[in-house]
Each structure stands twice: as C-alpha cells, then as structure tokens.
Amino acid sequence: MPDPHCLFCRIMRGELPSKKVYEDDHVYAFEDLHPKAPTHVLVIPKKHIVGLKEAEAADAEVIGRCHLVAAEIARQRNIENGYRTVLNVGPESGQSVFHFHVHLLGGRRLTWPPG
C-alpha cells in the first residue's frame, strides 16, 4: 500500500514530476534528480517497502524484479560492460528516502571502493 507522505509514492502517483524510464504493474523507474553518473536511474517497487531490512519473504519477487528491470535498462543504454546496482540501507549508508529503491549507475568508469 502506498504511503501518502512518501516522496517516491508521490512520484508514482504523479503528484511530483519525474522523468519516467520504465513502468509496469509492479515497478516504476525514473531518472535520479541529482545523478552521480551519466546513467543514474532509481528503480522502485510500487508497493511501499521502507527498505531492505524491513522487507519480508513476500517481497522477494518484487525486489528481484527491481534488479531485473535495472539490468534491462542497462542493456537498453548499452552500459552492459560496466554498471553498478546499489542499495542504501539505513541513514548511515546514505539512504534518505525510506522507500526501497535500487540505484542503477553507469555510463562512466566506476571505481572501488565506493563512498
């Protein structure tokens, strides 16, 4: 169930603008407002899940679907030779929106370690 105050839920409902990249019955993907790479897409489930640590076994399919959508977007953008998917879990990791999301980053050389 969407959270009426969640930033990402509001984006999905069309209350806030976004540059949509992909949408199906379960997942919505859009360009990050402050990109950290030439490709920086956020892939989110339409179901409001606060984060990975709050996810339940019943959420496994939609969490996996988010990753598969990220892989498809990477193929479409021809960045298959090097991209990263990132999950920030909790405020100390940098999570600032508490709705599960996968960051798809690519289009430039990515260094390690991140952060």
Side-chain angles (χ1 to χ4, degrees), residues 1 7 9 11 14-15 19 26 37-38 46-48 50 61 67 69-71 81-82 85 87 97 103 107 111-112:
M1 169 176 269
L7 177 68
C9 289
I11 287 171
E15 295 171 12
K19 290 184 182 178
H26 307 283
K46 289 188 172 181
K47 176 185 177 186
H48 181 80
V50 171
E61 184 176 340
H67 288 278
V69 166
N81 286 334
T85 59
L87 299 176
V97 178
H103 293 260
T111 60
W112 194 261

Side-chain angles (χ1 to χ4, degrees), residues 37-39 79 82-83 105-110:
T39 289
I79 60 170
Y83 66 90
L105 298 153
R108 66 167 171 79
R109 188 159 191 72
L110 300 171

Side-chain angles (χ1 to χ4, degrees), residues 2-15:
D3 178 327
H5 305 292
C6 170
L7 177 68
F8 289 171
C9 289
R10 294 181 67 207
I11 287 171
M12 280 188 298
R13 290 194 303 268
E15 295 171 12

Side-chain angles (χ1 to χ4, degrees), residues 53-64:
K53 65 183 176 162
E54 290 83 10
E56 300 175 353
D59 300 321
E61 184 176 340
V62 76
I63 288 170

Side-chain angles (χ1 to χ4, degrees), residues 34-51:
H34 303 288
K36 306 301 183 215
T39 289
H40 189 169
V41 173
L42 301 176
V43 184
I44 64 175
K46 289 188 172 181
K47 176 185 177 186
H48 181 80
I49 302 167
V50 171

